[in-house]
Amino acid sequence: MKKIFGEKSKNVAFLGMTALVSAASIIFNGCNSKTDVKEFEKTVSLEHPTVRTVPKTDDESVESDKRIIYLTFDDGPNQGTENLLKILNKRNVCATAFLVGKHAYGSKRQKDDMELLKSNPLIELANHSFNHAHNKYTDFYKNPAAVVHDFDIAKDSLKLYDKIARTPGRNIWRLNNINVTDIKSSTEAANGLRKAGYKVIGWDLEWRPSQKMTLKGSHEAMIKKVDSIFLNDLEKTSRHLVFLTHDQYLRDADSINELDMFIEKLQKSNKFVFRKISQYPKINDILN
């Protein structure tokens, strides 16, 4: 297993920034006051929605010619969440949804989608903050204590006790063996999350949208990027690739079809294994 400090992280660290900034215009508006948090907590089931027992795994459990892909989807529940679930169910493939707390009660449809996410065994739920930085990322990361507090609100409201997290608008990693910060002004906030016990996961490859917020590029082009990352050893951990896109890109028939064919062809190639992010190497190690 390799350490990723240095030039290789620069090749992929900024892949998601343009998409995340563009996405700000369509992310659902939510309420941010303490009263709203209390209202939200009333809508959340007392049952634990996220912790599913996952056996510890390592590279030895996968044939040497296989590569492992972690499908992750940000900003749900949101437009496109139901379409995402249909694809996963159709292909019987697992994935991780990084949730925005306020989206879980932003509308009746989002509340319903949250229930669908919680009840689907193919989906693992993780923390993507409560307010998504109000889509003002620079200001958000200037206050590290507020960043941790925002993630804590999402954790407690959604009962995301695994403390697996992804930062909004930033490709940040904080695990025992991986420490990456794409925008250095976010370093203190990232370190604060780690100190608070969060296992912060970024990504190796993002499927970025067009200006119309649909999936840009063909599924064939994305498969070539997957192959290239593995071939050139650009993934943060050898043989393990974290793939990112967003629920809200899955709102039109073409985008839905592109993601479906992407997953189908990866499966048919017989070169890849799909896992939830809680099975990523060393993610469950006690932080030191």
Side-chain angles (χ1 to χ4, degrees), residues 58-222:
D58 53 37
D59 289 352
E60 294 180 357
S61 66
V62 177
E63 298 91 333
S64 61
D65 62 337
K66 303 287 187 182
R67 298 296 178 263
I68 301 162
I69 296 179
Y70 304 81
L71 299 174
T72 68
F73 299 85
D74 282 6
D75 297 351
N78 211 328
Q79 295 184 40
T81 295
E82 292 177 30
N83 293 327
L84 167 61
L85 291 174
K86 288 177 182 177
I87 294 170
L88 297 179
N89 289 334
K90 177 182 177 181
R91 298 298 168 194
N92 192 32
V93 64
C94 61
T96 302
F98 283 88
L99 303 174
V100 174
K102 68 178 183 180
H103 290 180
Y105 76 113
S107 68
K108 182 182 184 304
R109 181 173 181 176
Q110 286 170 293
K111 292 178 185 178
D112 292 342
D113 286 348
M114 182 66 194
E115 293 302 315
L116 291 175
L117 288 166
K118 286 162 55 179
S119 63
N120 193 315
L122 293 174
I123 286 284
E124 180 173 64
L125 307 184
N127 194 335
H128 194 40
S129 80
F130 189 83
N131 286 304
H132 204 272
H134 305 291
N135 304 317
K136 297 179 180 178
Y137 306 116
T138 300
D139 290 342
F140 181 66
Y141 292 103
K142 286 180 180 178
N143 189 337
V147 171
V148 174
H149 181 64
D150 192 69
F151 274 84
D152 284 345
I153 293 174
K155 171 183 66 70
D156 294 338
S157 299
L158 297 174
K159 298 178 172 58
L160 302 173
Y161 298 128
D162 281 350
K163 299 191 84 169
I164 297 174
R166 174 173 286 154
T167 49
R170 297 289 185 268
N171 189 356
I172 290 173
W173 295 73
R174 287 295 187 278
L175 301 177
N176 277 346
N177 62 324
I178 305 178
N179 187 315
V180 172
T181 311
D182 56 350
I183 307 296
K184 297 307 177 185
S185 59
S186 306
T187 298
E188 189 176 352
N191 291 341
L193 287 170
R194 175 182 168 83
K195 185 176 180 180
Y198 286 97
K199 298 166 280 190
V200 184
I201 292 288
W203 60 90
D204 297 301
L205 174 65
E206 180 183 8
W207 196 338
R208 297 188 288 174
S210 68
Q211 291 182 345
K212 295 182 180 180
M213 300 307 294
T214 60
L215 289 182
K216 182 180 180 180
S218 68
H219 62 281
E220 289 96 342
M222 292 307 301

Side-chain angles (χ1 to χ4, degrees), residues 267-282:
Q267 287 180 312
K268 286 184 175 180
S269 72
N270 202 32
K271 296 188 297 184
F272 305 105
V273 175
F274 296 90
R275 287 181 176 167
K276 298 174 182 177
I277 204 65
S278 63
Q279 294 175 281
Y280 191 83
K282 297 186 180 297

